[in-house]
Amino acid sequence: MAHASAPPVGELTAEAVEFLHLYHEERQLPGVAARVAGVREEIAVTGTYRHTGDELAYGAKVAWRQSARCVGRARWAGLKVRDRRKVTSVAGMARELARHLAVADNGGRIRSVMTVFAPDRPGVGPRARIWNDQLIRYCGHRLDDGSVLGDPAQVAMTDAVRRLGWRPPAVPGRFDLLPWVLETAYEDPTLVPAPRELVREVALAHPAYPWFARLRLRWHALPVISTMRLRVGGVDYSCAPFNGHYLGDEIGTRNMGDGDRYDQLLPVARGLGLDTSREDTLWREHAALVLNQAVLHSFRSAGVRVSDPHSESELFMRFCAQEERAGRPVYGDWSWLNGSVGWAALHAVHHRYYDPRVPNPNLWQTGRSYGAAGVVSATLRQRHDVAGRGEG
């Protein structure tokens, strides 16, 4: 697991002070000197410090604002932050994750939500972990002939849950929900069924091609990322699942079109009667466009919030202008901010560059390792046993 050694107290203090000044300045709050003095003393005594609820909420919002790979950051101020730092059991986590799905779904009017569990212990690491990279994922079933039924990106996770005792449906399908695997410092990795009643799915159809519905494609409405580490003022929260809403080409181009995912470009091209014998016919591009049209049409017909590249590009450029007016750099990873369908023609997103630094507060990708069941858990528990239970 990450964070095997505690960061130097001086680094933690410097990052904490920087964040507290940012928080008080942007919120136009008094009392920064007293708060900084209190945090310095707390760090000196305990090796860390505890954010107030308001500090945590604002830090999470700024982390999204500064997340270089996200094109949807214009909505950063509207993020709903659920402070669940006192929840440290698997059963409690499962309840809160289910509640996250309900709150974020919002009747199809997807809202951006982050649920923050207990902070990591300095020198010890996470107190809680979600193995799934997103709360809603479809299985990747290995078949006897070597092929994969479902999502090839989830084969390793599907194998992992089977080692933990999960059994697939008697008749496996392409869109079987993966169970969650949750663990804490004091509990082994535990299988928890994803609450099917809270998972909204959209069947994909195309407004101009009736045959498209016969492909029997669908996708879930809510992308809840669950393996990103939130860092605010030097404090890490390794269990802080969060979501925005889908950009259409995330589903149409990547999830449905990529060859190592559902690989639907050829079936769509055949349905369109395209010449797939040569690449210069651009049949892949044509098929990808139709897939994207189907996603946007289907989500909007179902009343589920989704964004198209053109609208998102315009919104992102307004975000850039707002940041610059506020005197803040626009952090960005160019390769991630430019999507898959037609983005080169979209305003200035494609034609401008961004500050490549990755400041804190921010969101950081954590690694995943599935090993034999129990191995990861034992490492997590041993570290916490040495530290003692404390708040956990």
Side-chain angles (χ1 to χ4, degrees):
M1 297 290 289
H3 320 299
S5 60
V9 169
E11 290 183 14
L12 170 59
T13 302
E15 200 170 322
V17 170
E18 180 182 21
F19 167 68
L20 291 171
H21 278 282
L22 173 74
Y23 169 70
H24 282 81
E25 178 183 350
E26 294 195 354
R27 296 290 305 277
Q28 299 182 336
L29 297 173
V32 65
R35 177 58 174 151
V36 166
V39 165
R40 286 183 182 276
E41 181 177 356
E42 189 176 352
I43 291 173
V45 173
T46 68
T48 187
Y49 71 104
R50 182 177 177 83
H51 291 120
T52 67
D54 286 344
E55 288 168 354
L56 176 63
Y58 198 73
K61 293 177 182 182
V62 173
W64 187 15
R65 187 180 78 195
Q66 298 186 154
S67 183
R69 292 181 170 183
C70 181
V71 76
R73 285 175 275 166
R75 306 173 182 87
W76 69 273
L79 177 67
K80 178 178 176 59
V81 180
R82 305 174 68 241
D83 183 353
R84 297 298 184 267
R85 286 177 287 176
K86 293 183 179 179
V87 176
T88 55
S89 69
V90 164
M93 288 175 64
R95 286 192 298 270
E96 292 302 334
L97 294 178
R99 183 59 183 158
H100 182 124
L101 294 183
V103 172
D105 179 85
N106 193 32
R109 303 180 302 277
I110 309 299
R111 64 182 303 181
S112 301
V113 177
M114 179 183 292
T115 299
V116 183
F117 292 100
D120 300 2
R121 285 176 182 263
V124 180
R127 300 183 189 185
R129 191 173 87 148
I130 302 167
W131 284 28
N132 312 65
D133 65 343
Q134 290 192 25
L135 292 187
I136 306 171
R137 282 298 202 193
Y138 297 118
C139 295
H141 302 289
R142 297 181 191 267
L143 301 183
D144 292 340
D145 63 1
S147 63
V148 174
L149 178 65
D151 190 348
Q154 297 302 317
V155 167
M157 185 64 189
T158 305
D159 289 346
V161 298
R162 293 190 69 163
R163 285 196 296 269
L164 288 169
W166 180 77
R167 292 293 174 261
V171 181
R174 289 190 296 170
F175 300 100
D176 296 330
L177 288 179
L178 270 167
W180 296 336
V181 180
L182 311 179
E183 65 173 316
T184 72
Y186 315 110
E187 296 171 275
D188 284 338
T190 302
L191 289 169
V192 176
R196 159 74 58 185
E197 70 279 7
L198 296 177
V199 177
R200 186 183 300 273
E201 294 179 289
V202 178
L204 302 186
H206 194 283
Y209 304 116
W211 55 264
F212 191 99
R214 293 195 290 274
L215 296 175
R216 294 179 174 272
L217 303 176
R218 66 176 186 263
W219 203 253
H220 56 88
L222 193 59
V224 186
I225 300 170
S226 46
T227 54
M228 296 287 280
R229 170 170 52 91
L230 170 67
R231 185 175 179 90
V232 176
V235 177
D236 288 318
Y237 299 87
S238 287
C239 194
F242 74 99
N243 69 275
H245 63 270
Y246 270 119
L247 189 63
D249 69 338
E250 293 179 271
I251 303 171
T253 305
R254 297 278 73 89
N255 298 335
M256 289 296 163
D258 280 355
D260 58 355
R261 298 296 301 285
Y262 277 81
D263 197 18
Q264 291 297 301
L265 292 183
L266 187 57
V268 171
R270 287 172 174 163
L272 292 166
L274 302 179
D275 179 2
T276 61
S277 66
R278 311 190 328 267
E279 294 300 332
D280 62 2
T281 64
L282 302 183
W283 64 269
R284 296 178 192 275
E285 287 77 4
H286 191 164
L289 180 60
V290 168
L291 274 166
N292 277 265
Q293 290 171 336
V295 169
L296 294 173
H297 164 76
S298 301
F299 269 60
R300 287 169 178 166
S301 296
V304 175
R305 189 178 188 184
V306 67
S307 288
D308 66 90
H310 289 274
S311 299
E312 205 64 26
S313 171
E314 293 174 358
L315 187 60
F316 184 72
M317 293 314 301
R318 291 201 294 272
F319 165 76
C320 293
Q322 291 168 356
E323 290 299 284
E324 289 165 347
R325 284 196 300 271
R328 296 190 292 257
V330 179
Y331 302 103
D333 183 330
W334 189 95
S335 65
W336 279 72
L337 296 176
N338 288 275
S340 311
V341 179
W343 280 72
L346 295 180
H347 309 283
V349 173
H350 183 88
H351 301 289
R352 65 166 288 168
Y353 293 92
Y354 307 90
D355 190 325
R357 294 174 296 170
V358 185
N360 284 308
N362 220 304
L363 296 158
W364 300 85
Q365 184 64 54
T366 60
R368 287 194 295 163
S369 176
Y370 298 121
V375 172
V376 174
S377 171
T379 303
L380 183 61
R381 292 201 316 280
Q382 286 165 8
R383 288 179 178 164
H384 283 264
D385 289 342
V386 170
R389 288 183 178 261
E391 292 179 281

